[in-house]
Amino acid sequence: MGQGERDLRLDFLRGLGQWMIFVDHIPGNFLAWLTLRNYGFCDAAEFFVFISGYSIGFAYAPAIRNGEFVAAIKRLWTRAAQLYVVHIFLFLFFTAQVARAARRFDNPMYKDQFNVAQFLANPDVMIQQALLLKYKPVNLDVLPLYIVFVVAAPLILWGLSRRPHVTLVCSFVLYIASRSLGWNLPSFPDGHWYFNPFCWQFLFVFGIWAGFGNGPKIRGFVTSWPNQLLCWTIVVVALVIVISWNVESMYGLVPDAVGKLLYPIDKTTLAPVRLLHFLALLGIVIKLLPPDLPALRSKGMHPIILCGQRSLPVFCLGVILSFTAHWMLVQISDSELMQLFVSVAGIALLVGAAWLATWYRSLPTLVSTVPVTVPVEEDEGTSGTDARAAGTAQPLPLAGEVGPAERSEAGTGGGSALRESQNQ
């Protein structure tokens, strides 16, 4: 896979993760037993954070190496601003959806279950806290975490461009320190962020470190048989332990002392067993999914990959659809057939939204020819050609269009990857 070429493995894993997140967000859904969280210590969240970091490292490495650090900062912070706006709109839409369901069905459970009761009781206070990312309803914790990481990405890229291994070690030290000292960002009215950014940043930094060019350097070690044996051992042991906790017929298979040793398997602070399980799974995935795997380009994989390539609109729609599926199960029927219907229909709608977003991006874009500066008057001695050259600057690129700076980046071999990273 050449530089600037899209890595379909990332899209596949990201799309599969989107499907799992949607299914997991439907309370009481029996199809959730098919997702990762029931067969080990980690879930799709770890893969999402790592892949997000890897995509940034892979996309921005050429620009950083060519000295275009300021341009990289501009694009990253622009992206962070876009994500912030998307989060606020999603927050308002989701809150309105929950409030309407609670009123329409005369069921206040919805407001309490999804943490919007306080917002409806004190909207003036809570909207301010929501704008500060301190108040978040249920299922809206991931985007604020990603926004913080994208804002911090230039600092991480700067460190990796100078001392990559030292930067990774410093990230791990911060992970250990935040777990030991209880560092976290505050939530409102009390508590802390569900995803502790000081802990989860290690997965993000590790992803950028790998995407920055260090991943191929350790591929030989990752795919070696001793490491694969270790990874499979960790995954199988985790599988046996979790199944012994979840399947009644297997209760007692694992001694209680093991559970006491492992608990609490905290998601907020990214418990070490979650991190270890994720790293083992990652090693196996790298071995089983080489970049040139023909199956990734097959028609059967296309719906999953399409959802991975348009992960932002797919995630937002998934949040809305998961609550819609929930109230349908509560108000209409919670039978297994109904659970299957809302899950399959929801995934079909996610694929449709991804296809629609891809089609929309393929439409032609109008190019603006408005000059940056317009001369007040033209000197008599200036020829027509010179006047036009003096008065008209390069056309301004519209949103989503490639402008002069981006063309320069494309010339370095990294522009394609940069644009793809902005499309997620």
Side-chain angles (χ1 to χ4, degrees), residues 90-141:
L90 178 61
F91 163 80
L92 294 174
F93 197 100
F94 181 72
T95 303
Q97 183 190 26
V98 175
R100 176 168 175 77
R103 175 176 295 181
R104 178 179 180 182
F105 300 113
D106 193 23
N107 191 343
M109 174 198 70
Y110 294 126
K111 296 185 292 184
D112 297 327
Q113 186 178 10
F114 289 88
N115 193 29
V116 301
Q118 296 183 47
F119 176 83
L120 298 176
N122 303 284
D124 54 335
V125 175
M126 303 308 288
I127 191 66
Q128 178 184 6
Q129 300 302 320
L131 292 172
L132 295 174
L133 303 181
K134 296 174 68 176
Y135 167 67
K136 299 175 287 293
V138 173
N139 297 339
L140 296 188
D141 300 284

Side-chain angles (χ1 to χ4, degrees), residues 222-236 280 284:
V222 171
T223 58
S224 64
W225 73 263
N227 185 68
Q228 286 295 305
L229 179 61
L230 177 62
C231 290
W232 279 104
T233 301
I234 294 173
V235 169
V236 171
I284 294 173

Side-chain angles (χ1 to χ4, degrees), residues 369-376 378 382 384-394:
T369 56
V370 179
V372 176
T373 58
V374 179
V376 177
E378 181 181 317
T382 305
T385 303
D386 293 341
R388 286 191 297 272
T392 306
Q394 290 286 343

Side-chain angles (χ1 to χ4, degrees), residues 3-232:
Q3 179 66 46
E5 184 180 349
R6 193 173 189 109
D7 191 341
L8 293 181
R9 296 175 302 172
L10 301 180
D11 296 326
F12 170 76
L13 294 173
R14 191 158 36 201
L16 186 62
Q18 294 285 4
W19 289 12
M20 289 185 182
I21 291 173
F22 166 71
V23 171
D24 285 337
H25 281 179
I26 304 175
N29 186 9
F30 82 94
L31 285 181
W33 280 99
L34 301 178
T35 63
L36 182 61
R37 68 178 183 178
N38 296 293
Y39 302 97
F41 302 132
C42 72
D43 57 25
E46 279 84 354
F47 278 93
F48 169 79
V49 173
F50 173 81
I51 291 173
S52 298
Y54 186 95
S55 299
I56 288 179
F58 180 78
Y60 286 87
I64 298 298
R65 293 192 179 104
N66 286 314
E68 300 179 76
F69 188 68
V70 174
I73 293 178
K74 177 183 175 181
R75 296 195 67 150
L76 284 166
W77 285 356
T78 299
R79 182 59 172 171
Q82 294 170 345
L83 291 169
Y84 177 80
V85 172
V86 169
H87 170 72
I88 296 302
F89 272 93
L90 178 61
F91 163 80
L92 294 174
F93 197 100
F94 181 72
T95 303
Q97 183 190 26
V98 175
R100 176 168 175 77
R103 175 176 295 181
R104 178 179 180 182
F105 300 113
D106 193 23
N107 191 343
M109 174 198 70
Y110 294 126
K111 296 185 292 184
D112 297 327
Q113 186 178 10
F114 289 88
N115 193 29
V116 301
Q118 296 183 47
F119 176 83
L120 298 176
N122 303 284
D124 54 335
V125 175
M126 303 308 288
I127 191 66
Q128 178 184 6
Q129 300 302 320
L131 292 172
L132 295 174
L133 303 181
K134 296 174 68 176
Y135 167 67
K136 299 175 287 293
V138 173
N139 297 339
L140 296 188
D141 300 284
V142 173
L143 271 182
L145 179 73
Y146 187 38
I147 292 169
V148 170
F149 286 167
V150 174
V151 170
L155 178 61
I156 300 170
L157 289 168
W158 178 83
L160 290 173
S161 66
R162 285 156 176 77
R163 296 289 187 273
H165 305 318
V166 173
T167 302
L168 184 62
V169 170
C170 290
S171 174
F172 184 73
V173 170
L174 177 59
Y175 163 73
I176 297 297
S178 59
R179 279 186 52 85
S180 303
L181 302 177
W183 296 341
N184 198 345
L185 296 180
S187 291
F188 187 87
D190 50 36
H192 299 87
W193 278 33
Y194 180 70
F195 291 99
N196 185 339
F198 298 114
C199 296
W200 283 81
Q201 55 78 30
F202 175 68
L203 270 184
F204 185 74
V205 174
F206 179 52
I208 297 182
W209 177 87
F212 209 78
N214 296 289
K217 296 178 182 178
I218 63 173
R219 179 177 175 82
F221 165 75
V222 171
T223 58
S224 64
W225 73 263
N227 185 68
Q228 286 295 305
L229 179 61
L230 177 62
C231 290
W232 279 104

